[in-house]
Amino acid sequence: MTDLSDIVSSAYWRVNPPDADPIETREWLEAFDALVAAEGRERATFILRKLLEHARARRVPMPPVLNTPYKNSVSLAEQAQFPGNLELESRIASIVRWNALAMVVRANRAHPELGGHIASYASAADLFEVGFNHFFRGGPDGDLVYFQPHSAPGIYSRAFLEGRLSEENLSSYRQETGGKGLCSYCHPYLMPEFWQFPTGSMGLGPINAIYQARFTRYLENRGIAKKNSEIQERKVWCFVGDGEMDEPESLAGLSLATREGLDNLIFVVNCNLQRLDGPVRGNGSVVQELEGLFAGAGWNVIKLLWGADWDALFARDDDGVLLKRLHETVDGEFQTYAATDGRFNREHFFNKYPELRALIAEMSDADIDRLRRGGHDPVKIHAAYQAAAQHKGRPSVILAQTKKGYGMGNWGQGKMGTHQQKKLDDAALREFRDRFSVPLSDDDVAQLRFFHPGPDSAEIKYLVARRKQLGGYLPIRRTASQALRTLPLESFSKVLEGTAREQSTTMIFVQLLAQLLKDETLGARVVPIVADEARTFGMQTLFRQVGIYSAVGQLYEPEDHDELLYYREAKDGQILEEGITEAGALSSWLAAATAYSAHGTPMLPFYVYYSIFGFQRIGDLIWAAADSRARGFLIGGTAGRTTLAGEGLQHQDGSSHLAASTIPNCRAYDPCFGYELAAIVQDGARRMLEAQEDVFYYVTVANENYVHPGIPPDAHEGILRGMYSLKKTKNAKLRLLGSGPILREVIAAADLLQKDWGLAADIWSVTSFTELRRDGMQAERARRLGGSAQSWVEKCLGDAPGLVVAASDYVSAVADLIRPYVPGRYVALGTDGFGRSDTRAALRDFFEVDAKHIVVAALAALEGPAAKTLAADAVRRYGIDAGARPPWQR
Ligand SMILES: Cc1ncc(C[n+]2csc(CCOP(=O)(O)OP(=O)(O)O)c2C)c(N)n1
Ligand SMILES: [Mg+2]
């Protein structure tokens, strides 16, 4: 034990400081024992509380109270009876282990570039197996299990025994393009009938699981799903790595889970003490640290550290020397003990103190070698799961200690680089086979044959029976649900007809939302979600109208209770007001947007947020939502780099549409007029709820107020496809394209061109450069492959030659997306550079996307000898500073 680890361990988790007066200590403890014996535990708790209060008053420093000793939380006496057949379960686990290992090694022998992991599943196998045999309920209302992603080979391997995956599937692990392959991690997009939840990006599984458990309660409390009391409530299980717990998202929802009393949620943290590069907390204890964190957040913490063979040792550890030794051992040392044999463990761990040496005097080196960690003992795992599943009122976390690369012997167990070990030689494979008694010949092993004991074997019969008893196989994903009728376009006639009143697209969006909420069939399925910005978007009227969801209702009289539209929280409230957590809000949205699959209940979520805090801030969660085949609306509010005006550099979004364009099932739109927005929302709801397409929508809305005209005839198709004609002039040589609020600058530019320069221009509204790009790519590809096709852009712009100028409130790369399909010359303007605060007019001048700059761009790009002088004249006439540095350099 080095000085440093001494300091670290005492600072973080040491609970046994040296005793200055053991006799006095014993007297106190005996007095306490007498109290418990005479008056019971409750009284003892009362006295403890009084003592603590008293100590606080005397300013006596408190000991760390969130940590318990480095032992199992469930005592031997409390341990539930193990209901299974240990012998058979152990044989099943061994076969699953072998096939998982063979799958990875096979793929990598053939193609070393494929990759894969062995050591993670090797450490987690028993944790999963006990779940599969005794806890995870299957079926449509079954449990929702978030698996650790790099343990996927183990899950495939079990599905192979269950007859759900074929040998051909296993042989194509990580070779997916042929159609029979298995994906690297849990990806519902790639295996839509298998995986439910994408967890491949560390940290997203845990936060998603928490909000999933909360959303389950939301559905129950709103009467959409069956009540918790009417059914055996489905549990959400989340398997997390101890290294993964360092991700901010892993911790972000912990207090919400307690606040909401989510006793339907169980985290299992696989504490194998290692991550990819090395130990998670080499100089400390990850278990103790996590215990403090979870306990501090109010969770029920269950430590599952030692297997049954330790029970006898602890029972004889009267003077606490074993516990003392465990407490002074840092994780870096525990890792070494995992990587070494019984003899080494005896010499270095047990022989340190004579009392400890005596404790294990009867044990052989082989006995010591067999001492299991808790996460490898099915009986202890079962006891911990049982305690978690029965716990009421709070979420539970199981901190399961395991060995990384368990059973991989010298080639992997506890080794520093084991995470990436994927090529074992024949000797290593034979040793693994022997270690787990898998009935395979040396030749089978050399050929890496998969093993299936046959449908009539005792193992398979047992496994099938267990799953039958628990309601069916898992993971399994429902791909469709009941279709919901959506509102016809005509029902939004008020918006379609336009208004003379100046309004923002945000205000119009809120009207549309309010109308959807009132609809008889659809209304209840709408889930408005905000992250403390409802007032920003003028949504506060909804607080009263549909209420804010709260698991406990409203325990206070709101300050504004005597106002008409007061702040109303309710058990059946519909709005999810998440507070300032975009990651949490998106996780809620994801749960709602996949409820059609996970709950068989289609929902229509609208998450409304500051657009810059979406794709930029939580882009990876949106990517996971895309992987999950989410269906719902993301509404990027206060969008556009110049339209937001005063908020400045970290608020003005100029790139979310570019990010959105990279997500294949995201349909992104940047509307300018109310009727465009209505058409987009109506069609989106139809496609997602009626046609059940696996797409989701990103729609930007802005806060600039202006008059909204009525929908032009024949515009509907173009609005949805990405562009439509707003104004056509005979013999116009110029076509101007605008999107979002900048369309109005384009319209003003057309007027200037006519008035100041005598030039006619056609005007097109572009609702989606990104959809136009996709359509263009499709047509181009069809032609390349010998077919014939015309893109929508070519259809719109192809019939007349001449210059095309486009502008948006996003970086110019957005308008540039359609360049390959625009016939003739094309100039794309945008808002490249850092945002800053000013008026809209000043910002559009600064970023060179206002009417004047659009005119100059058009004149400068015109063909013919007069063009150059025209542009120079315009620069002078409009007072443009031609010498200024470009906006992206300022
Ligand atoms: C966001 C993110 N960063 C990095 C990775 C790469 N990665 C995958 S597994 C892993 C180590 C995981 O360690 P731990 O969580 O302790 O799991 P174990 O394999 O030890 O069970 C890393 C770094 C990832 N998948 N996602
Ligand atoms: Mg780990």
Side-chain angles (χ1 to χ4, degrees), residues 192-353:
E193 285 166 9
F194 193 83
W195 293 118
Q196 284 186 291
F197 307 113
T199 51
S201 178
M202 306 270 94
L204 305 193
I207 190 170
N208 285 342
I210 291 173
Y211 283 85
Q212 176 72 260
R214 201 282 213 94
F215 192 72
T216 307
R217 290 279 164 84
Y218 170 91
L219 289 177
E220 288 165 7
N221 281 330
R222 290 198 46 223
I224 293 172
K226 274 185 214 135
K227 273 265 178 244
N228 167 4
S229 48
E230 295 164 18
I231 46 161
Q232 189 184 347
E233 195 184 19
R234 59 193 338 197
K235 299 249 183 240
V236 176
W237 293 81
C238 179
F239 287 82
V240 200
D242 47 359
E244 183 175 7
M245 286 309 301
D246 279 338
E247 289 286 2
E249 292 89 346
S250 301
L251 301 168
L254 296 192
S255 55
L256 171 106
T258 314
R259 208 156 60 234
E260 302 270 330
L262 299 180
D263 51 16
N264 57 343
L265 175 66
I266 299 172
F267 267 32
V268 181
V269 186
N270 178 8
C271 296
N272 55 25
L273 316 185
Q274 291 178 248
R275 41 177 159 73
L276 191 152
D277 281 342
V280 181
R281 292 288 183 273
N283 294 314
S285 167
V286 73
V287 168
Q288 298 297 91
E289 185 177 325
L290 289 176
E291 175 180 43
L293 266 169
F294 276 97
W299 286 52
N300 170 42
V301 182
I302 299 169
K303 281 151 86 170
L304 164 60
L305 305 184
W306 308 112
D309 6 44
W310 289 78
D311 285 337
L313 294 182
F314 282 117
R316 287 190 282 121
D317 185 31
D318 295 329
D319 45 11
V321 65
L322 175 59
L323 206 55
K324 170 182 155 82
R325 183 75 186 106
L326 292 172
H327 277 253
E328 68 190 16
T329 305
V330 289
D331 283 359
E333 292 171 309
F334 275 126
Q335 185 192 330
T336 302
Y337 295 134
T340 48
D341 59 10
R343 188 190 173 90
F344 184 96
N345 275 256
R346 173 194 296 282
E347 282 171 10
H348 293 84
F349 182 83
F350 289 106
N351 283 357
K352 178 158 179 194
Y353 300 114

Side-chain angles (χ1 to χ4, degrees), residues 626-645:
D627 190 345
S628 311
R629 297 172 175 262
R631 301 173 185 170
F633 284 96
L634 294 176
I635 304 292
T638 56
R641 182 153 278 156
T642 66
T643 308
L644 180 51

